[in-house]
Every structure is written in structure tokens, then in C-alpha cells.
């Protein structure tokens, strides 16, 4: 986290556009991740359109939502105008499921970027890939959360293995973004050592991440503490492999 995956995704998309891969399909399993892509691409002055239900989109991004466009028109006239807007876009953003929507039925995308790819089930990731993809970019982190699969039997049968994981298990080596800017160096050190062989460095010095005041930190200047939660009426509960009071 905090290594600039979205920033890198935007740079990759701009590179694909420079190679005349237009239009590029940018997708993810969650609306939040798709919105982040739309925001980053818009700031980079890329002509982007967001396909999907407007109620699932952040209000400040409504200007890019296809559903919100050409509301002054009706029926077939509105549909024609929206299809024209899609054809003029450099990038189309939607969820993986949204890539199979009627809006995009007649569209193919030679280049596809899938964000949070390690959290997407393999069948979901194949929806955008099936839109004529020749070049696929997977952006994610298989050391973080896996795909959410509620059915235990389906998970054990392999559905909890993402396409990202499958490729890394087959020996495809991902490119590692090795400088993080979000966490205090003392906080990021453990995950770096435990999951990334100590390869992730901190681009933000400790002095720029002062610990919050009002707490007696065990080690001065380091915002890390374990606080026991005990007392009358406090019981520890278990959910899956997690414990919480």
C-alpha cells in the first residue's frame, strides 16, 4: 500500500495511448477502484468515460459518467449521442461486470488494464479480457487481500485464486513498486520484511510522520503500540481466523 499503483496505472495507460492502443479499457472489481482510476486519468487530461450506474459513482465524478451524459435528449437520439461519446473516448472505465453491459456490446478493446487484480475472481477478470483484449496489464498485490469467495467449497475448488495469483504461481514475475509513501517507516518495516523480503523502502522520512499526540507511545517517535483490551464484560470472539473483543 502507498507505493503509487494508481499513479503508475495512469502512466501505463498514457503509454498505451501513445502506442495507439486507443481506446483502453480500465477496470476493477470494485466501484471505488474504478473511481480512483477515473479521477487519476481525468487529472492527467485523458478523455475518459465512466460506464456504470451513477448511484455507484462518487458525485464529483458525475461529469464523466455515460449515464449522466446527454440527458437533454430522449430515446434513440440519446443512445446515439452516448455511443458517439464512447467512440470518441481515449479510455473507458467500468467494473469487471460492467464490461459485459449492453453499452459496450459493440465495442472491443485491444488493451485492458485490470486494477486490484489480486482481489478479483478469475471468472470476473475474464469478462473484460473477452472484449477483444490483445494486451493485458494486471495491477495488484497478491500479498494483500485475496478475492472474496463466500462459498467455502468454491474457494477450495480454486475460485479464490485470482488470475494474478495463477500467473505468479506459474513463474511470471511481477514488477515490484518498491518505495512506499503512506506509512511511517516503523510501521512499514514489518510488512516489508515479512511479505516483500525487505525490498519495500520508505520514501517519506519519519520526521514527516510524527506520532499523534495524547498517547504515551512506548518508543518515542515511533507510532506503534500494542494495547491490551481487558476488563469486566470484555470477551474475545472469533470470526474465521480473526479474534476481536
Amino acid at each position: 500500500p502507498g507505493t503509487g499503483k494508481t499513479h503508475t496505472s495512469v502512466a501505463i495507460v498514457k503509454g498505451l495511448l501513445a502506442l495507439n492502443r486507443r481506446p483502453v479499457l480500465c477496470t476493477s472489481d470494485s466501484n471505488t477502484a474504478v473511481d480512483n482510476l477515473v479521477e487519476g486519468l481525468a487529472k492527467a487530461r485523458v478523455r475518459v468515460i465512466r460506464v456504470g450506474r451513477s448511484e455507484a459513482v462518487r458525485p464529483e465524478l458525475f461529469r464523466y459518467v455515460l449515464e449522466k451524459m446527454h440527458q437533454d435528449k430522449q430515446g434513440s437520439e440519446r443512445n446515439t449521442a452516448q455511443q458517439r461519446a464512447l467512440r470518441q473516448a481515449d479510455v473507458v472505465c467500468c467494473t469487471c461486470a460492467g464490461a459485459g453491459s449492453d453499452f459496450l456490446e459493440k465495442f472491443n478493446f485491444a488493451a485492458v488494464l485490470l486494477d486490484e487484480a489480486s482481489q478479483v475472481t478469475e471468472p470476473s477478470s475474464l469478462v473484460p479480457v473477452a472484449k477483444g483484449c490483445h494486451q493485458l496489464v494486471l495491477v495488484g498485490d497478491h500479498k494483500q487481500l485475496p478475492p472474496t469467495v463466500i462459498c467455502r467449497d468454491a474457494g477450495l475448488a480454486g475460485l479464490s485464486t485470482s488470475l494474478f495469483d495463477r500467473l505468479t504461481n506459474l513463474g511470471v514475475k511481477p514488477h515490484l513498486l518498491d518505495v512506499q509513501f503512506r506509512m511511517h517507516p516503523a510501521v512499514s518495516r514489518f510488512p516489508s520484511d515479512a511479505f516483500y523480503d525487505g525490498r519495500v523502502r520508505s520514501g517519506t522520512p519519519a520526521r514527516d510522520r510524527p506520532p499523534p499526540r495524547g498517547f504515551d507511545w512506548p518508543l518515542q517517535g515511533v507510532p506503534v503500540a500494542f494495547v491490551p483490551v481487558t476488563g469486566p464484560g470484555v470477551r474475545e470472539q472469533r470470526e474465521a481466523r480473526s479474534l476481536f473483543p
Side-chain angles (χ1 to χ4, degrees), residues 111-179:
V112 176
L113 183 141
L114 175 56
D115 194 17
E116 292 188 349
S118 60
Q119 299 179 32
V120 182
T121 62
E122 193 163 18
S124 290
S125 67
L126 294 179
V127 178
V129 172
K131 299 293 295 180
C133 177
H134 290 185
Q135 190 168 9
L136 176 64
V137 179
L138 300 178
V139 180
D141 185 351
H142 58 303
K143 302 296 184 179
Q144 294 187 44
L145 294 173
T148 300
V149 180
I150 298 175
C151 177
R152 183 172 181 272
D153 290 340
L156 292 174
L159 197 62
S160 59
T161 300
S162 66
L163 178 61
F164 194 111
D165 270 309
R166 185 181 299 279
L167 291 173
T168 57
N169 292 339
L170 289 172
V172 178
K173 292 185 178 180
H175 296 279
L176 177 68
L177 299 178
D178 58 5
V179 181

Side-chain angles (χ1 to χ4, degrees), residues 52-168:
R53 296 177 295 107
S54 57
E55 60 266 29
V57 180
R58 298 204 305 267
E60 64 268 24
L61 300 176
F62 278 174
R63 73 180 76 173
Y64 307 107
V65 177
L66 185 65
E67 187 181 74
K68 290 282 187 180
M69 295 179 177
H70 306 290
Q71 292 185 321
D72 57 324
K73 297 179 174 62
Q74 299 294 326
S76 60
E77 186 182 4
R78 182 182 180 187
N79 182 67
T80 300
Q82 290 177 335
Q83 291 294 314
R84 187 186 307 114
L86 276 173
R87 288 193 296 270
Q88 293 173 348
D90 291 325
V91 180
V92 175
C93 293
C94 62
T95 62
C96 292
S101 70
D102 293 340
F103 274 123
L104 301 177
E105 183 180 3
K106 297 180 180 180
F107 285 82
N108 283 326
F109 300 90
V112 176
L113 183 141
L114 175 56
D115 194 17
E116 292 188 349
S118 60
Q119 299 179 32
V120 182
T121 62
E122 193 163 18
S124 290
S125 67
L126 294 179
V127 178
V129 172
K131 299 293 295 180
C133 177
H134 290 185
Q135 190 168 9
L136 176 64
V137 179
L138 300 178
V139 180
D141 185 351
H142 58 303
K143 302 296 184 179
Q144 294 187 44
L145 294 173
T148 300
V149 180
I150 298 175
C151 177
R152 183 172 181 272
D153 290 340
L156 292 174
L159 197 62
S160 59
T161 300
S162 66
L163 178 61
F164 194 111
D165 270 309
R166 185 181 299 279
L167 291 173
T168 57

